[in-house]
Amino acid sequence: MDMLLRQTAEKYSGDFREFAPFPRAGHPDGYETLSPDLRKRILEEGESFLGYRYPAIYATDFMNFKRTGNRVLYEDLYFARRHALCALVTAECVERKGRFMDDIVNGIFILCEESGWQLPPHNSYRRDSPQLLLPDSSRPVLDLFACETGALLACVSYLLGEKLEELSPLITARIHRELNRRIIIPYLEEHFWWMGQGDEPMCNWTAWCTQNVLITAFSEPFDPDIRRRIFLKAAQSLDFFLKDYGEDGCCDEGAQYYRHAGLCLCNAMEVLNAVSDGAFSPLFQTEKIRNIAAYILHVHVADKYYFNFSDCSPIAGRAGVQEYLFGKYTCQPELMAFAARDFRASGGELYSDEVNRISLYHRFQNIVYWKEVYAFGNCGDAPERSDAGLFYPSVGLFLARSDTLALAVKAGDNADNHNHNDTGSFTLYKNGRPLFVDIGVESYTGKTFSSRRYEIWTMQSGYHNLPTLMGADQSAGEKYRATEVETSFGSRASISMELINAYPLTGHDKTGGTPLSYRRRVTLDKKEGKVTVEDTSNLPDVILNFITYEKPVLREGQFLLGDLARASFTGALPLAADSQTGSAVEVLPITDARLKKAWDHDLYRVRLRMTGGAFTLEIQ
């Protein structure tokens, strides 16, 4: 395994440079030149929290997750506290009149007095071990949001330190003491799984937590020896994170998690780079890092939509300043242009999701680079993405486009991070609108990351654009995979694969002495403007499942998808999926809060039964 970041860190023997990513409040080059619209937005949000009563969080609120599996009730209270503090601090930095300071101090002490900064689903000391009922304040847990809270308070101290000192030196002393006790000491003395060791698989946690530990360590005045230990350990963790990426840079967690994986990697590397006088700059130009950066550009469909799989939503959030900076550091103007255009399309959001809402670091990145990104996004000659087609072999993700169609096919295996059993599934958009879709995931609960995960319907292959074979859906695990994968590009871009090994068909090894087979080929014909799905099989019992955004209207040998497309099929007959109506079209009610953010109405499942050994679906 390459340890390029650790080796780079070890070679750096100089003193650490001051980490000053943003102007402090009151700095002469501060925030007086913000656009009137941005300034107005920041102050209005801060004013909405004047006199704010931070919500009480009781021990029973923490205990509720273990008892019921509900994450949302606790998280709503937890995130509300942090959102308020971020909004108040941002407003004070912009206005500098002191009227937000009392509410800021209340927020600081509210967070400092919490028994634990970790979320209840993460309240354990070993990976995949049962969560403890309550936090142990004598032994802090470093999870995603403990580290995020540490970075938040470190940024508060960095931005408003002088003003807080004027009120009382006890405030900054309390912040420093809590950061040392809750972040620095456990980071150096405990091993949490996301830090990495050996071949243990990593995910977005590693980059996300490491980013925030680095922000904490270098924003606060910790001892140089402590900082050096953190500097070395963080670089090593990022190497462990990178080992699970292919050279192609594909994020197996999907576009939504790229924001916590690739972008947090970028931020972590930039902290390391800033404090080491640019020692890490050459690593931004390595092929893998450049590919990780560009991934988000390639999986973007149009407007708000992304190709999604696993737990990722099709609406993965607007690109913006962070993507722009990753493109800038890796010298990819097409990524910078995409991010800048999307930032303008969003109206220049200060935060685009729950995490950015509680991250002062991300907020101030947006504020500081606002004008630069807006100006770049207004350049008429900024480069566009090449749509020649792409295959990510590390994950098995195939992408192809024409003037009207955008196609993604997921090969690979069923052992991705945030996995759904979706090997061989495809998604298709026409004119930027969804046709055949991947549903995504419902709100996280205790079941989501447990042994009962695949009881959840959205995780199952039968609720993807995949067949059910001999009554069986796909199983989870690395051995359940596509084989014999072949791709081609040009005017007819296609991918073909054998899917039989993705299914648990023990006891059905052969049919008439011939090994079982289920082959799928998906082709996008750019000249004819159509996508063809061709399935062949020697199994006697095959049910085909298709998930659509528009309500299908079935006619003989075809179904219409609104005013957008027609899907014609041969080699199958409609299956009466709905026992009450006898229809082959099943309504999939979208009632979950998380799914409602992705889909503005119910989705639909079409079920067909193969009548022979070959099935063809043409969509145009």
Side-chain angles (χ1 to χ4, degrees), residues 475-512:
S475 289
E478 187 175 2
K479 73 176 183 179
Y480 296 100
R481 61 187 306 113
T483 59
E484 303 173 37
V485 179
E486 296 182 1
T487 62
S488 64
F489 294 95
S491 62
R492 285 173 53 84
S494 71
I495 180 171
S496 64
M497 69 197 82
E498 172 62 66
L499 290 177
I500 198 68
N501 291 324
Y503 292 79
L505 294 178
T506 303
H508 300 279
D509 296 334
K510 294 184 178 181
T511 298

Side-chain angles (χ1 to χ4, degrees), residues 62-63 65-67 69 71 118-135 141 445-450:
F62 197 99
M63 295 161 65
F65 169 77
K66 186 78 172 175
R67 291 172 169 175
R71 298 174 53 135
Q118 71 272 27
L119 294 183
H122 306 157
N123 190 33
S124 63
Y125 296 94
R126 296 192 315 276
R127 190 174 198 168
D128 299 328
S129 61
Q131 298 88 359
L132 300 173
L133 184 65
L134 287 163
V141 170
T445 67
K447 184 187 286 190
T448 308
F449 299 104
S450 74

Side-chain angles (χ1 to χ4, degrees), residues 42 85-94 350 360 363-364 367:
I42 290 170
L85 181 57
C86 283
L88 290 160
V89 170
T90 309
E92 182 59 38
C93 286
V94 168
L350 267 179
L360 267 182
R363 279 173 177 256
F364 276 83
I367 291 169

Side-chain angles (χ1 to χ4, degrees), residues 460-472:
Q460 300 166 9
S461 63
Y463 288 93
H464 290 76
N465 296 306
L466 285 166
T468 299
L469 306 182
M470 309 290 286

Side-chain angles (χ1 to χ4, degrees), residues 299-308 314-315 318 342 385 387 400-407 427-437 524 549-550 561 563-565 598-601:
V299 295
H300 179 246
V301 176
D303 191 37
K304 63 183 180 179
Y305 289 113
Y306 284 82
F307 291 124
N308 66 304
I315 300 177
R318 292 283 187 181
D342 219 30
R385 173 191 62 210
D387 283 339
R401 292 177 170 85
S402 69
D403 292 340
T404 58
L405 298 169
L407 170 71
T427 54
L428 181 63
Y429 288 76
K430 184 175 182 180
N431 298 330
R433 293 165 57 188
L435 276 180
F436 290 82
V437 302
L524 188 155
Y549 177 75
E550 301 287 352
L561 296 170
D563 61 354
L564 195 57
W599 309 113
D600 50 17
H601 56 65

Side-chain angles (χ1 to χ4, degrees), residues 73-258:
L73 295 177
Y74 182 87
E75 290 176 9
D76 282 350
L77 302 171
Y78 178 99
F79 290 131
R81 287 178 164 188
R82 286 149 176 81
H83 177 207
L85 181 57
C86 283
L88 290 160
V89 170
T90 309
E92 182 59 38
C93 286
V94 168
E95 188 180 71
R96 296 191 300 118
K97 292 182 179 179
R99 64 179 176 135
F100 300 99
M101 290 302 295
D102 283 356
D103 294 300
I104 289 169
V105 174
N106 282 340
I108 290 169
F109 274 77
I110 279 282
L111 298 193
C112 288
E113 291 167 5
E114 290 179 351
S115 294
W117 286 344
Q118 71 272 27
L119 294 183
H122 306 157
N123 190 33
S124 63
Y125 296 94
R126 296 192 315 276
R127 190 174 198 168
D128 299 328
S129 61
Q131 298 88 359
L132 300 173
L133 184 65
L134 287 163
D136 180 352
S137 59
S138 70
R139 190 185 174 196
V141 170
L142 292 189
D143 78 328
L144 297 174
F145 294 102
C147 297
E148 191 74 64
T149 300
L152 192 167
L153 287 173
C155 286
V156 173
S157 183
Y158 167 82
L159 289 162
L160 291 174
E162 289 186 6
K163 285 180 148 306
L164 294 171
E165 289 278 343
E166 288 174 7
L167 280 175
S168 169
L170 295 176
I171 303 170
T172 54
R174 177 69 186 276
I175 291 175
H176 188 81
R177 186 166 64 250
E178 294 296 337
L179 293 178
N180 187 56
R181 181 177 73 85
R182 295 178 187 251
I183 304 295
I184 302 301
I185 291 175
Y187 182 74
L188 291 175
E189 296 185 358
E190 295 264 12
H191 178 78
F192 294 94
W193 66 265
W194 54 263
M195 296 174 176
Q197 60 182 355
D199 293 331
E200 187 173 2
M202 298 292 98
C203 65
N204 68 78
W205 276 57
T206 303
W208 189 351
C209 292
T210 301
Q211 163 203 263
N212 285 314
V213 170
L214 285 168
I215 291 169
T216 301
F218 287 97
S219 297
E220 278 287 289
F222 288 106
D223 182 86
D225 289 339
I226 288 175
R227 284 181 164 180
R228 184 160 297 279
R229 291 172 63 194
I230 291 171
F231 180 76
L232 292 170
K233 186 171 183 176
Q236 179 171 283
S237 286
L238 295 176
D239 282 323
F240 282 124
F241 169 75
L242 285 169
K243 82 176 188 323
D244 293 325
Y245 266 78
E247 195 68 18
D248 58 23
C250 188
C251 180
D252 75 342
E253 299 173 271
Q256 200 166 9
Y257 292 90
Y258 163 92

